Amino acid sequence: MKYNFDEVIDRRGTHSVKWEAGELLKDFGLTDRFDEDTISLFVADMDFPVPEPVLAALHARVDRKMFGYSTYDTSPDYIQAIQGWFRRRHDWNINAEAIVYSPGTVEAINVLIRTFSQPGDGIIIQRPVYAPFTSAIEGNNRRVVNNALINNDGYYTIDFADLEAKAQDPNTTMFILCSPHNPVGRVWTPEELIKMAEICLANDVVLVADEIHGDLIRRGQTHYPLCTLVDDDRLIACTAINKTFNMAGLHCSNIVVNNKEMREAFKKELGWKTPTPFAITALIAAYNEGEEWLEQVNDYIDGNIAFLEQFLKERMPQVKFRIPEGTYIGWLDFSGYGLTDVEIHDRIYNKGNVVLEDGTMFGPEGAGYQRICLPSPRSLIAAAMERIAAQFP
Ligand SMILES: Cc1ncc(COP(=O)(O)O)c(C=O)c1O
């Protein structure tokens, strides 16, 4: 079927953090202003309905009228749906027993940190990067070891010499890789991925690849799951339906831990967790029948990105923007205006009444940047950009 992603659907009244968490966002220091008129493009979820087959499956599940405890690993349909998706879409054959359910990717990363490192250990991340990596490390009393990305005029690459030096430190025990990378939009090449894995494996650094943006790839790009490139069972990968199908509220991530001992240790720290009946039903329908929707959503996001690029060129040429290779995130460089971060924030959030995320939330390397999430009806992106442009005459 043909989906209509132009339709603007009011999400207020659905407990949406994106559209209703005004007070919370104020407490977080994300914005001082949040009201009925706010356009909110800060959080990475979509303003699009999920695939029709998922809705049909959920309706049918509700009609069964009971929502008791569930199982997933002893019911082959859940595991087979995951295996089928990654085989078809990414040429990745995942062993059934390697799949461990977690109620969220961030939760899994926290548990992985507690499983495979000790308090005080160094954990590598590549800033500017998704902020909860930092909170997971610091919240578990580990140390952030920053292998900062190199910014080549908006195209980010890896400082391999620095990565190797940091991995060689015996106090460094883990590396949390964002692949594709939020917020800079890189889809790492096989050469880059293999090199990162080799450095970690040679130095006994546990490599966790957060690959949950891996289905949201811009046309012409290929995302390579790390495990398809490097055959070593010590590598760990995080997968999820959350980003791919706009189902983050269902809390359903699946972590691939191939090494048996590592998997047992992870499961012990995680505790016995099972997905809700809704997550199970939605995952099976999405992975088995959601491909058509995903193709169309990726096309639509490509259109939004092209719109944004053109808008900036015509109306805000001082903003530097590079089309992301993956993710639905725009990483906008406002430094051309010669304003402080506080002034940029004030114009966009307080005066324009648009909520994005300040680049500094991703580390000091994000100074001068703003992150915008683009999986929304184009009219909403256009309205937000009009408001922002009006503040930068
Ligand atoms: C790289 C990355 N990892 C994890 C998450 C959150 O995942 P979850 O909702 O499964 O915890 C996000 C959400 O934006 C993300 O961008």
Side-chain angles (χ1 to χ4, degrees):
M1 70 175 280
K2 177 93 183 90
Y3 289 93
N4 174 17
F5 298 119
D6 281 326
E7 188 188 358
V8 178
I9 297 171
D10 185 6
R11 293 179 64 189
R12 288 185 169 95
T14 66
H15 307 94
S16 155
V17 76
K18 186 169 181 177
W19 294 99
E20 296 176 74
E23 292 309 315
L24 186 73
L25 301 190
K26 287 177 194 169
D27 288 349
F28 278 173
L30 194 72
T31 184
D32 296 329
R33 180 173 178 189
F34 198 99
D35 52 44
E36 280 294 292
D37 192 40
T38 301
I39 300 180
S40 178
L41 301 174
F42 80 95
V43 73
D45 75 19
M46 302 181 183
D47 293 314
F48 304 136
V50 304
E52 274 301 329
V54 174
L55 291 177
L58 285 171
H59 282 300
R61 181 63 186 83
V62 167
D63 287 343
R64 297 295 300 271
K65 299 181 183 174
M66 280 176 261
F67 311 112
Y69 295 115
S70 1
T71 182
Y72 72 100
D73 43 0
T74 53
S75 323
D77 48 359
Y78 179 91
I79 299 291
Q80 284 166 3
I82 299 170
Q83 290 176 303
W85 179 264
F86 286 96
R87 192 169 45 242
R88 285 195 311 280
R89 302 279 312 179
H90 301 287
D91 213 8
W92 183 14
N93 291 307
I94 305 178
N95 289 328
E97 62 276 11
I99 297 169
V100 183
Y101 164 78
S102 160
T105 315
V106 170
E107 174 158 355
I109 288 172
N110 273 277
V111 175
L112 289 162
I113 288 172
R114 290 198 290 277
T115 312
F116 298 115
S117 68
Q118 298 300 319
D121 282 1
I123 300 184
I124 301 173
I125 54 175
Q126 295 173 315
R127 284 176 175 163
V129 75
Y130 181 58
F133 286 5
T134 294
S135 4
I137 295 169
E138 293 179 347
N140 287 293
N141 301 314
R142 274 68 167 172
R143 284 178 300 108
V144 168
V145 175
N146 182 25
N147 170 229
L149 296 173
I150 302 169
N151 184 353
N152 316 279
D153 202 21
Y155 186 74
Y156 287 79
T157 53
I158 294 162
D159 184 342
F160 281 106
D162 180 70
L163 177 63
E164 185 152 36
K166 286 177 170 155
Q168 280 168 350
D169 181 337
N171 295 315
T172 302
T173 46
M174 287 183 81
F175 172 25
I176 303 167
L177 166 68
C178 199
S179 173
H181 192 284
N182 169 12
V184 309
R186 276 298 315 280
V187 172
W188 306 113
T189 63
E191 292 72 25
E192 288 170 317
L193 289 164
I194 291 168
K195 213 163 159 181
M196 286 190 277
E198 282 175 353
I199 290 173
C200 288
L201 292 169
N203 292 288
D204 277 332
V205 169
V206 174
L207 202 174
V208 174
D210 176 341
E211 299 182 341
I212 73 168
H213 289 272
D215 290 308
L216 297 156
I217 294 299
R218 314 293 27 107
R219 289 291 174 225
Q221 301 288 337
T222 308
H223 159 72
Y224 294 90
L226 188 58
C227 294
T228 63
L229 299 171
V230 181
D231 185 18
D232 190 302
D233 73 354
R234 290 172 291 169
L235 300 172
I236 296 173
C238 302
T239 74
I241 52 172
N242 302 354
K243 299 288 155 206
T244 306
F245 296 108
N246 196 26
M247 304 203 283
L250 294 184
H251 288 281
C252 189
S253 299
N254 293 284
I255 315 306
V256 179
V257 189
N258 281 298
N259 181 282
K260 188 164 182 291
E261 278 166 31
M262 292 173 79
R263 185 168 62 248
E264 292 310 321
F266 172 56
K267 278 172 131 173
K268 194 167 165 215
E269 186 68 36
L270 181 69
W272 193 70
K273 300 269 160 65
T274 61
T276 66
F278 300 112
I280 293 175
T281 301
L283 176 141
I284 294 169
Y287 277 159
N288 287 345
E289 302 172 79
E291 242 165 309
E292 185 189 31
W293 179 92
L294 181 68
E295 291 297 335
Q296 292 181 37
V297 113
N298 267 324
D299 283 343
Y300 192 85
I301 293 166
D302 277 342
N304 278 359
I305 290 171
F307 165 81
L308 178 66
E309 187 190 34
Q310 192 59 30
F311 184 97
L312 293 170
K313 220 177 257 170
E314 286 170 13
R315 305 279 301 281
M316 304 181 74
Q318 286 97 322
V319 175
K320 283 199 235 157
F321 170 61
R322 196 173 185 117
I323 291 186
E325 295 171 340
T327 78
Y328 46 55
I329 286 163
W331 185 236
L332 308 179
D333 179 0
F334 277 75
S335 59
Y337 286 102
L339 299 168
T340 64
D341 283 313
V342 173
E343 286 167 331
I344 296 167
H345 179 100
D346 184 52
R347 290 187 189 198
I348 297 172
Y349 299 63
N350 297 330
K351 300 202 172 83
N353 204 8
V354 175
V355 180
L356 308 179
E357 276 189 1
D358 291 323
T360 45
M361 289 189 69
F362 302 82
E365 298 79 4
Y369 281 81
Q370 290 288 324
R371 187 188 85 154
I372 182 170
C373 287
L374 296 161
S376 298
R378 201 154 303 150
S379 58
L380 216 55
I381 307 287
M385 291 312 300
E386 284 294 343
R387 288 188 189 185
I388 294 172
Q391 301 304 325
F392 294 86

